[in-house]
Amino acid sequence: MTRSRPASPFGRSIDVLVSRLRRKLDTNEGSSVIRTVRTGGYIFTPHVEDA
């Protein structure tokens, strides 16, 4: 512990990486292929079209 906080160098690194991926992968405003699952993490949900 440092300064009465747990030492966690990776606390927000996943969030930063996911936000960068969203910027690169998302083509439409308001729709994302990476969704946040509250208290669970992230899920990849691409739009699939029938051929």
Side-chain angles (χ1 to χ4, degrees):
M1 288 177 75
T2 59
R3 296 185 186 183
S4 69
R5 289 187 300 174
S8 177
F10 305 108
R12 300 288 298 179
S13 63
I14 297 297
D15 297 332
V16 171
L17 291 172
V18 169
S19 68
R20 289 178 184 167
L21 278 172
R22 280 182 174 146
R23 249 184 283 149
K24 292 178 182 181
L25 295 174
D26 294 347
T27 56
N28 299 333
E29 280 295 316
S31 67
S32 179
V33 295
I34 301 175
R35 296 192 181 182
T36 302
V37 178
R38 193 170 185 173
T39 68
Y42 300 96
I43 188 168
F44 181 64
T45 57
H47 179 71
V48 179
E49 295 181 11
D50 291 333

